[in-house]
Amino acid sequence: MSSEARTSADVAGAPADVAAKVEQFLLGEKCTIAQKTPDGLTIWFVTRKTMLSWELEGAVTITPAAQGSHIELVLNTHHNRPTALMDGPKNEKAAKKLTEKLTAAL
């Protein structure tokens, strides 16, 4: 059973500009940037651990779209953490919430 969650959204702005804003947003959310592609359009990150949840691994990919940029967000249980039965629904909720906060910030 997969615990991977995917969300996406379309936003205004050129992909390079959106990617820079996404990176700043993730840093503001206290995420750790693990890696990014040379063009900066794909960013891998790790969320912070809280009292109620382990860290999550994530990736944001920004691609050109008709009205600006398309953002795809993927979240999954961190590879060094135990998995649980409810990880899938919990990750979906976290991905949706993070995408909503991200699009509002852009």
Side-chain angles (χ1 to χ4, degrees):
M1 181 182 200
S2 175
S3 61
E4 182 177 276
R6 292 178 175 271
T7 60
S8 62
D10 289 325
V11 296
D17 296 335
V18 171
K21 290 177 183 177
V22 167
E23 183 174 0
Q24 290 306 309
F25 170 79
L26 291 171
L27 292 171
E29 290 291 309
K30 297 183 175 87
C31 295
T32 303
I33 305 298
Q35 184 180 359
K36 59 183 181 175
T37 56
D39 61 7
L41 297 180
T42 300
I43 303 168
W44 290 272
F45 64 95
V46 178
T47 64
R48 65 188 172 107
K49 182 173 119 177
T50 67
M51 289 178 57
L52 300 175
S53 64
W54 293 109
E55 303 96 328
L56 298 173
E57 292 179 318
V60 177
T61 303
I62 299 104
T63 54
Q67 298 297 322
S69 298
H70 180 77
I71 297 174
E72 183 174 5
L73 174 78
V74 179
L75 280 181
N76 204 348
T77 306
H78 193 280
H79 68 278
N80 286 335
R81 298 298 183 196
T83 57
L85 183 61
M86 295 302 292
D87 279 349
K90 189 173 182 182
N91 292 349
E92 285 180 31
K93 183 177 178 182
K96 183 178 177 185
K97 183 177 177 182
L98 191 60
T99 301
E100 288 171 354
K101 286 176 74 174
L102 175 58
T103 55
L106 296 175

